[in-house]
mmCIF file of all heavy atoms in Angstrom:
data_model
loop_
_atom_site.group_PDB
_atom_site.id
_atom_site.type_symbol
_atom_site.label_atom_id
_atom_site.label_comp_id
_atom_site.label_asym_id
_atom_site.label_seq_id
_atom_site.Cartn_x
_atom_site.Cartn_y
_atom_site.Cartn_z
ATOM 1 N N ILE A 70 20.973 4.936 -28.745
ATOM 2 C CA ILE A 70 21.695 5.688 -27.870
ATOM 3 C C ILE A 70 23.177 5.657 -28.415
ATOM 4 O O ILE A 70 23.695 4.693 -28.448
ATOM 5 C CB ILE A 70 21.654 5.142 -26.408
ATOM 6 C CG1 ILE A 70 20.125 5.256 -25.914
ATOM 7 C CG2 ILE A 70 22.564 5.978 -25.506
ATOM 8 C CD1 ILE A 70 19.964 4.670 -24.505
ATOM 9 N N LEU A 71 23.676 6.899 -28.606
ATOM 10 C CA LEU A 71 25.060 7.024 -29.144
ATOM 11 C C LEU A 71 25.182 6.001 -30.279
ATOM 12 O O LEU A 71 26.187 5.391 -30.508
ATOM 13 C CB LEU A 71 26.112 6.727 -28.038
ATOM 14 C CG LEU A 71 26.259 7.692 -26.988
ATOM 15 C CD1 LEU A 71 27.102 7.263 -25.886
ATOM 16 C CD2 LEU A 71 26.572 9.112 -27.435
ATOM 17 N N GLY A 72 24.199 5.959 -31.156
ATOM 18 C CA GLY A 72 24.316 5.294 -32.304
ATOM 19 C C GLY A 72 24.006 3.720 -32.247
ATOM 20 O O GLY A 72 23.870 3.014 -33.220
ATOM 21 N N GLU A 73 23.884 3.301 -30.903
ATOM 22 C CA GLU A 73 23.643 1.883 -30.593
ATOM 23 C C GLU A 73 22.072 1.555 -30.599
ATOM 24 O O GLU A 73 21.415 2.235 -29.832
ATOM 25 C CB GLU A 73 24.269 1.535 -29.270
ATOM 26 C CG GLU A 73 24.929 0.180 -29.294
ATOM 27 C CD GLU A 73 25.611 -0.079 -27.936
ATOM 28 O OE1 GLU A 73 26.064 0.890 -27.359
ATOM 29 O OE2 GLU A 73 25.528 -1.200 -27.495
ATOM 30 N N ARG A 74 21.708 0.710 -31.333
ATOM 31 C CA ARG A 74 20.171 0.338 -31.280
ATOM 32 C C ARG A 74 19.786 -0.359 -29.936
ATOM 33 O O ARG A 74 20.432 -1.304 -29.440
ATOM 34 C CB ARG A 74 19.823 -0.571 -32.395
ATOM 35 C CG ARG A 74 18.392 -0.849 -32.584
ATOM 36 C CD ARG A 74 18.162 -1.747 -33.673
ATOM 37 N NE ARG A 74 16.915 -2.606 -33.431
ATOM 38 C CZ ARG A 74 15.714 -2.184 -33.928
ATOM 39 N NH1 ARG A 74 15.616 -1.173 -34.675
ATOM 40 N NH2 ARG A 74 14.599 -2.886 -33.655
ATOM 41 N N MET A 75 18.863 0.246 -29.284
ATOM 42 C CA MET A 75 18.333 -0.256 -27.917
ATOM 43 C C MET A 75 17.055 -1.012 -28.061
ATOM 44 O O MET A 75 16.870 -1.852 -27.131
ATOM 45 C CB MET A 75 18.054 0.927 -26.996
ATOM 46 C CG MET A 75 19.283 1.747 -26.552
ATOM 47 S SD MET A 75 20.314 0.663 -25.480
ATOM 48 C CE MET A 75 21.807 0.862 -26.309
ATOM 49 N N THR A 76 16.295 -0.799 -29.024
ATOM 50 C CA THR A 76 14.985 -1.365 -29.170
ATOM 51 C C THR A 76 15.139 -2.905 -29.185
ATOM 52 O O THR A 76 16.016 -3.521 -29.979
ATOM 53 C CB THR A 76 14.265 -0.916 -30.479
ATOM 54 O OG1 THR A 76 14.309 0.492 -30.515
ATOM 55 C CG2 THR A 76 12.828 -1.402 -30.446
ATOM 56 N N GLY A 77 14.433 -3.612 -28.408
ATOM 57 C CA GLY A 77 14.501 -5.123 -28.358
ATOM 58 C C GLY A 77 15.411 -5.686 -27.357
ATOM 59 O O GLY A 77 15.443 -6.922 -27.053
ATOM 60 N N ARG A 78 16.156 -4.780 -26.646
ATOM 61 C CA ARG A 78 17.037 -5.233 -25.545
ATOM 62 C C ARG A 78 16.296 -5.425 -24.245
ATOM 63 O O ARG A 78 15.288 -4.794 -24.140
ATOM 64 C CB ARG A 78 18.172 -4.345 -25.361
ATOM 65 C CG ARG A 78 19.001 -4.199 -26.651
ATOM 66 C CD ARG A 78 20.354 -3.498 -26.108
ATOM 67 N NE ARG A 78 21.230 -3.382 -27.302
ATOM 68 C CZ ARG A 78 22.402 -2.949 -27.146
ATOM 69 N NH1 ARG A 78 22.972 -2.806 -26.013
ATOM 70 N NH2 ARG A 78 23.255 -2.804 -28.326
ATOM 71 N N PRO A 79 16.720 -6.292 -23.423
ATOM 72 C CA PRO A 79 16.145 -6.366 -22.125
ATOM 73 C C PRO A 79 16.206 -5.181 -21.298
ATOM 74 O O PRO A 79 17.104 -4.298 -21.486
ATOM 75 C CB PRO A 79 16.855 -7.604 -21.422
ATOM 76 C CG PRO A 79 18.104 -7.777 -22.150
ATOM 77 C CD PRO A 79 17.911 -7.193 -23.534
ATOM 78 N N VAL A 80 15.208 -5.058 -20.430
ATOM 79 C CA VAL A 80 15.147 -3.775 -19.591
ATOM 80 C C VAL A 80 16.404 -3.437 -18.887
ATOM 81 O O VAL A 80 16.904 -2.296 -18.906
ATOM 82 C CB VAL A 80 13.977 -3.832 -18.544
ATOM 83 C CG1 VAL A 80 13.874 -2.511 -17.830
ATOM 84 C CG2 VAL A 80 12.704 -4.204 -19.138
ATOM 85 N N TYR A 81 17.046 -4.399 -18.201
ATOM 86 C CA TYR A 81 18.271 -4.074 -17.402
ATOM 87 C C TYR A 81 19.385 -3.536 -18.322
ATOM 88 O O TYR A 81 20.188 -2.820 -17.858
ATOM 89 C CB TYR A 81 18.691 -5.368 -16.523
ATOM 90 C CG TYR A 81 18.880 -6.497 -17.432
ATOM 91 C CD1 TYR A 81 20.106 -6.791 -18.166
ATOM 92 C CD2 TYR A 81 17.893 -7.601 -17.456
ATOM 93 C CE1 TYR A 81 20.308 -7.952 -18.837
ATOM 94 C CE2 TYR A 81 18.183 -8.797 -18.075
ATOM 95 C CZ TYR A 81 19.424 -8.864 -18.856
ATOM 96 O OH TYR A 81 19.535 -10.040 -19.557
#
Side-chain angles (χ1 to χ4, degrees):
Chain A
I70 296 179
L71 293 174
E73 216 181 326
R74 186 181 150 92
M75 289 293 129
T76 313
R78 296 202 185 182
V80 184
Y81 53 80

